[in-house]
Amino acid sequence: MAKFVNVAGVQFATSTSGGAPDAGKVICREMEAKLNSLKGYGLDLVVTCELAILAQTLETAEEIANPGPLLQTYARFAAAEKCHVAGASRVREGDDVYNSIVYFGPDGDILGVYHKVNLTYTAIWKGERSGTKAVVIDTAIGRLGGVICFDLNFEELRQQYRALKPDILTFASAYHGGLMQQMWAYDCRAFFVSALQFMGCGVLDPFGRELKVTDCYTNVARATINLDRVMVHLDKNRTKFAEIEKKYLGEIIIDTPANVGSALIYSMTDERTAMDVVAEFELELLDDYLAASLAANAANR
């Protein structure tokens, strides 16, 4: 069944620096103003930029059990707009401080947290603790996975997420990542929503194609995505595509980009899911096709 979700990636630059005495208050005030500018758009998910952690030092990192000013800012917005927020924050657990994404539900409650797994060694020298694993948070809008900045460079973490099958990867970062964003979206078969400090953040589809990104005219990228989708290989499947499209006439969309060799099948109706169509027409999912091919090659050596 079609599952439409309104998402936004927020470009965020602050007027202060992390070392300024009043940085925390300034950044929280600027972040609140940025979020308030999004009120009334009916958003289901907002992702914020990693630069927000400049509001906190290692000493003032906030606790999940006792949220401080930055986490309270996210919670207020989530509750006011009845939406989910993936909020960048420094988080303290005991003596350890993490660079994190904290997930808020539409009532403002905290649903979970992802700690950045791959820190730069300079961040480690400064005292931050590395997270241990990929994290996917089950929410009312779908499965959300967290990725932060330098994480994007590491295949091991990406493969962990691929196994967890997120619907949306939320990327809070101080750097863009370039083609790595596209690789993560395609490899994880997930939508990718980024929040950066400069132009070019926004929403990618599971093929890594831009749906909406920030530019010189707008610093918030909003898009509506459909999470009822499956990805199939063209081999053995594409001969059935015309029959599917003729039978369902717009209720099922088959998106076949050039040169990739696979297709996204979307359900646009409440009558059936994309997986229902896979079962009806005996289609083979892309990951199943790849796994079967690996097994066949192994047996053929």
Short mmCIF file of all heavy atoms in Angstrom, two decimals, residues 44-80:
data_model
loop_
_atom_site.label_atom_id
_atom_site.label_comp_id
_atom_site.label_asym_id
_atom_site.label_seq_id
_atom_site.Cartn_x
_atom_site.Cartn_y
_atom_site.Cartn_z
N ASP A 44 6.67 15.03 8.01
CA ASP A 44 6.70 13.82 8.84
C ASP A 44 8.08 13.56 9.43
O ASP A 44 8.19 12.86 10.44
CB ASP A 44 6.29 12.60 8.00
CG ASP A 44 4.88 12.73 7.45
OD1 ASP A 44 3.95 12.85 8.26
OD2 ASP A 44 4.72 12.71 6.21
N LEU A 45 9.11 14.10 8.79
CA LEU A 45 10.49 13.88 9.25
C LEU A 45 11.34 15.09 8.88
O LEU A 45 11.33 15.54 7.74
CB LEU A 45 11.10 12.63 8.61
CG LEU A 45 12.59 12.40 8.84
CD1 LEU A 45 12.88 12.12 10.32
CD2 LEU A 45 13.12 11.26 7.97
N VAL A 46 12.09 15.60 9.87
CA VAL A 46 13.06 16.66 9.65
C VAL A 46 14.42 16.18 10.15
O VAL A 46 14.53 15.65 11.26
CB VAL A 46 12.66 17.95 10.40
CG1 VAL A 46 13.76 19.00 10.29
CG2 VAL A 46 11.35 18.49 9.86
N VAL A 47 15.45 16.35 9.32
CA VAL A 47 16.82 15.98 9.69
C VAL A 47 17.62 17.26 9.87
O VAL A 47 17.55 18.17 9.03
CB VAL A 47 17.45 15.09 8.60
CG1 VAL A 47 18.87 14.69 9.01
CG2 VAL A 47 16.60 13.87 8.34
N THR A 48 18.38 17.35 10.96
CA THR A 48 19.15 18.56 11.25
C THR A 48 20.65 18.32 11.06
O THR A 48 21.13 17.19 11.10
CB THR A 48 18.90 19.07 12.68
OG1 THR A 48 19.53 18.20 13.62
CG2 THR A 48 17.41 19.16 12.97
N CYS A 49 21.36 19.41 10.88
CA CYS A 49 22.79 19.38 10.53
C CYS A 49 23.67 19.09 11.74
O CYS A 49 23.39 19.54 12.87
CB CYS A 49 23.16 20.72 9.91
SG CYS A 49 24.91 20.92 9.56
N GLU A 50 24.77 18.39 11.49
CA GLU A 50 25.74 18.07 12.54
C GLU A 50 26.31 19.32 13.20
O GLU A 50 26.75 19.27 14.36
CB GLU A 50 26.88 17.25 11.93
CG GLU A 50 27.94 16.81 12.93
CD GLU A 50 29.16 16.21 12.27
OE1 GLU A 50 29.45 16.55 11.10
OE2 GLU A 50 29.84 15.40 12.92
N LEU A 51 26.31 20.44 12.49
CA LEU A 51 26.89 21.67 13.03
C LEU A 51 26.22 22.09 14.34
O LEU A 51 26.78 22.88 15.11
CB LEU A 51 26.77 22.79 12.00
CG LEU A 51 27.94 23.77 11.90
CD1 LEU A 51 29.21 23.04 11.51
CD2 LEU A 51 27.63 24.88 10.90
N ALA A 52 25.03 21.55 14.60
CA ALA A 52 24.32 21.89 15.84
C ALA A 52 25.12 21.50 17.08
O ALA A 52 24.94 22.09 18.15
CB ALA A 52 22.96 21.20 15.87
N ILE A 53 26.02 20.52 16.95
CA ILE A 53 26.77 20.08 18.14
C ILE A 53 27.72 21.15 18.65
O ILE A 53 28.25 21.04 19.77
CB ILE A 53 27.53 18.76 17.91
CG1 ILE A 53 28.71 18.95 16.95
CG2 ILE A 53 26.59 17.67 17.42
CD1 ILE A 53 29.62 17.73 16.84
N LEU A 54 27.95 22.21 17.86
CA LEU A 54 28.76 23.32 18.35
C LEU A 54 28.08 24.04 19.51
O LEU A 54 28.72 24.84 20.19
CB LEU A 54 29.06 24.31 17.22
CG LEU A 54 29.93 23.79 16.07
CD1 LEU A 54 30.11 24.87 15.01
CD2 LEU A 54 31.27 23.30 16.58
N ALA A 55 26.81 23.76 19.72
CA ALA A 55 26.10 24.33 20.88
C ALA A 55 26.58 23.71 22.18
O ALA A 55 26.29 24.23 23.26
CB ALA A 55 24.60 24.11 20.73
N GLN A 56 27.31 22.59 22.08
CA GLN A 56 27.71 21.85 23.28
C GLN A 56 29.21 21.59 23.27
O GLN A 56 29.82 21.39 22.22
CB GLN A 56 26.96 20.50 23.31
CG GLN A 56 25.47 20.61 23.21
CD GLN A 56 24.88 19.41 22.48
OE1 GLN A 56 25.40 18.95 21.48
NE2 GLN A 56 23.78 18.90 23.01
N THR A 57 29.78 21.57 24.44
CA THR A 57 31.15 21.11 24.63
C THR A 57 31.09 19.68 25.17
O THR A 57 30.00 19.14 25.42
CB THR A 57 31.90 21.99 25.63
OG1 THR A 57 31.25 21.86 26.92
CG2 THR A 57 31.87 23.45 25.21
N LEU A 58 32.24 19.07 25.35
CA LEU A 58 32.24 17.74 25.97
C LEU A 58 31.63 17.81 27.37
O LEU A 58 30.97 16.87 27.82
CB LEU A 58 33.66 17.19 26.04
CG LEU A 58 34.35 16.88 24.71
CD1 LEU A 58 35.77 16.36 24.95
CD2 LEU A 58 33.56 15.86 23.91
N GLU A 59 31.85 18.93 28.04
CA GLU A 59 31.34 19.07 29.41
C GLU A 59 29.84 19.32 29.44
O GLU A 59 29.16 18.95 30.41
CB GLU A 59 32.08 20.21 30.14
CG GLU A 59 33.54 19.93 30.44
CD GLU A 59 34.43 19.97 29.21
OE1 GLU A 59 34.07 20.70 28.24
OE2 GLU A 59 35.45 19.27 29.19
N THR A 60 29.30 19.96 28.41
CA THR A 60 27.87 20.30 28.41
C THR A 60 27.05 19.37 27.52
O THR A 60 25.88 19.68 27.22
CB THR A 60 27.65 21.76 27.97
OG1 THR A 60 28.12 21.92 26.62
CG2 THR A 60 28.37 22.72 28.90
N ALA A 61 27.62 18.26 27.08
CA ALA A 61 26.86 17.28 26.29
C ALA A 61 25.61 16.87 27.08
O ALA A 61 25.64 16.76 28.31
CB ALA A 61 27.73 16.06 26.00
N GLU A 62 24.53 16.63 26.37
CA GLU A 62 23.23 16.40 27.02
C GLU A 62 22.95 14.92 27.20
O GLU A 62 23.42 14.08 26.44
CB GLU A 62 22.13 17.07 26.20
CG GLU A 62 22.35 18.57 26.09
CD GLU A 62 21.27 19.29 25.31
OE1 GLU A 62 20.12 18.79 25.30
OE2 GLU A 62 21.55 20.34 24.71
N GLU A 63 22.16 14.60 28.20
CA GLU A 63 21.80 13.22 28.50
C GLU A 63 20.39 12.92 27.99
O GLU A 63 19.50 13.77 28.07
CB GLU A 63 21.86 12.97 30.01
CG GLU A 63 23.26 13.16 30.60
CD GLU A 63 23.28 12.93 32.10
OE1 GLU A 63 22.20 12.69 32.67
OE2 GLU A 63 24.37 12.99 32.69
N ILE A 64 20.23 11.72 27.49
CA ILE A 64 18.91 11.31 26.99
C ILE A 64 17.88 11.35 28.11
O ILE A 64 16.74 11.78 27.92
CB ILE A 64 18.98 9.89 26.38
CG1 ILE A 64 19.92 9.87 25.18
CG2 ILE A 64 17.60 9.40 25.99
CD1 ILE A 64 19.53 10.77 24.04
N ALA A 65 18.29 10.93 29.30
CA ALA A 65 17.36 10.90 30.43
C ALA A 65 17.09 12.29 31.00
O ALA A 65 16.10 12.48 31.73
CB ALA A 65 17.92 9.99 31.53
N ASN A 66 17.94 13.25 30.67
CA ASN A 66 17.78 14.60 31.20
C ASN A 66 18.14 15.60 30.11
O ASN A 66 19.17 16.27 30.16
CB ASN A 66 18.69 14.79 32.42
CG ASN A 66 18.49 16.14 33.09
OD1 ASN A 66 17.40 16.72 33.04
ND2 ASN A 66 19.53 16.65 33.71
N PRO A 67 17.27 15.75 29.11
CA PRO A 67 17.59 16.59 27.94
C PRO A 67 17.87 18.04 28.33
O PRO A 67 17.22 18.61 29.20
CB PRO A 67 16.34 16.48 27.08
CG PRO A 67 15.67 15.22 27.51
CD PRO A 67 15.95 15.11 28.97
N GLY A 68 18.86 18.61 27.65
CA GLY A 68 19.20 20.01 27.84
C GLY A 68 18.60 20.88 26.76
O GLY A 68 17.66 20.49 26.07
N PRO A 69 19.16 22.09 26.56
CA PRO A 69 18.54 23.07 25.65
C PRO A 69 18.38 22.61 24.21
O PRO A 69 17.34 22.87 23.59
CB PRO A 69 19.49 24.28 25.74
CG PRO A 69 20.18 24.11 27.06
CD PRO A 69 20.31 22.65 27.29
N LEU A 70 19.39 21.96 23.64
CA LEU A 70 19.30 21.57 22.24
C LEU A 70 18.27 20.46 22.04
O LEU A 70 17.42 20.54 21.14
CB LEU A 70 20.66 21.12 21.72
CG LEU A 70 20.72 20.80 20.22
CD1 LEU A 70 20.31 22.00 19.38
CD2 LEU A 70 22.11 20.30 19.83
N LEU A 71 18.33 19.43 22.86
CA LEU A 71 17.37 18.34 22.73
C LEU A 71 15.95 18.82 23.03
O LEU A 71 14.98 18.36 22.40
CB LEU A 71 17.74 17.18 23.66
CG LEU A 71 19.06 16.45 23.34
CD1 LEU A 71 19.25 15.27 24.28
CD2 LEU A 71 19.10 15.99 21.88
N GLN A 72 15.82 19.75 23.95
CA GLN A 72 14.50 20.31 24.22
C GLN A 72 13.96 21.09 23.02
O GLN A 72 12.75 21.08 22.75
CB GLN A 72 14.56 21.21 25.45
CG GLN A 72 14.78 20.47 26.75
CD GLN A 72 14.99 21.41 27.93
OE1 GLN A 72 14.67 22.60 27.85
NE2 GLN A 72 15.53 20.90 29.02
N THR A 73 14.86 21.75 22.28
CA THR A 73 14.45 22.47 21.08
C THR A 73 13.86 21.51 20.06
O THR A 73 12.80 21.77 19.46
CB THR A 73 15.67 23.20 20.47
OG1 THR A 73 16.14 24.18 21.40
CG2 THR A 73 15.30 23.89 19.16
N TYR A 74 14.53 20.37 19.85
CA TYR A 74 14.02 19.37 18.92
C TYR A 74 12.68 18.81 19.40
O TYR A 74 11.74 18.63 18.61
CB TYR A 74 15.02 18.22 18.77
CG TYR A 74 16.36 18.59 18.19
CD1 TYR A 74 17.52 17.97 18.65
CD2 TYR A 74 16.48 19.54 17.18
CE1 TYR A 74 18.76 18.28 18.12
CE2 TYR A 74 17.72 19.86 16.65
CZ TYR A 74 18.86 19.22 17.12
OH TYR A 74 20.08 19.53 16.59
N ALA A 75 12.60 18.53 20.70
CA ALA A 75 11.39 17.92 21.25
C ALA A 75 10.18 18.85 21.10
O ALA A 75 9.08 18.42 20.75
CB ALA A 75 11.60 17.55 22.71
N ARG A 76 10.39 20.13 21.33
CA ARG A 76 9.29 21.09 21.21
C ARG A 76 8.77 21.14 19.78
O ARG A 76 7.55 21.15 19.55
CB ARG A 76 9.75 22.49 21.65
CG ARG A 76 9.83 22.71 23.13
CD ARG A 76 9.94 24.18 23.47
NE ARG A 76 11.13 24.79 22.91
CZ ARG A 76 12.32 24.83 23.53
NH1 ARG A 76 12.46 24.28 24.72
NH2 ARG A 76 13.35 25.41 22.96
N PHE A 77 9.67 21.17 18.83
CA PHE A 77 9.25 21.22 17.43
C PHE A 77 8.51 19.94 17.04
O PHE A 77 7.46 20.00 16.39
CB PHE A 77 10.44 21.45 16.51
CG PHE A 77 10.08 21.42 15.05
CD1 PHE A 77 9.52 22.53 14.45
CD2 PHE A 77 10.27 20.28 14.30
CE1 PHE A 77 9.16 22.51 13.11
CE2 PHE A 77 9.92 20.24 12.96
CZ PHE A 77 9.36 21.37 12.36
N ALA A 78 9.06 18.79 17.41
CA ALA A 78 8.42 17.52 17.07
C ALA A 78 7.00 17.46 17.62
O ALA A 78 6.06 17.06 16.91
CB ALA A 78 9.25 16.35 17.60
N ALA A 79 6.84 17.87 18.88
CA ALA A 79 5.51 17.82 19.50
C ALA A 79 4.57 18.84 18.87
O ALA A 79 3.38 18.55 18.65
CB ALA A 79 5.64 18.06 21.00
N ALA A 80 5.07 20.02 18.56
CA ALA A 80 4.22 21.07 18.00
C ALA A 80 3.73 20.70 16.60
O ALA A 80 2.58 20.99 16.24
CB ALA A 80 4.98 22.40 17.95
#
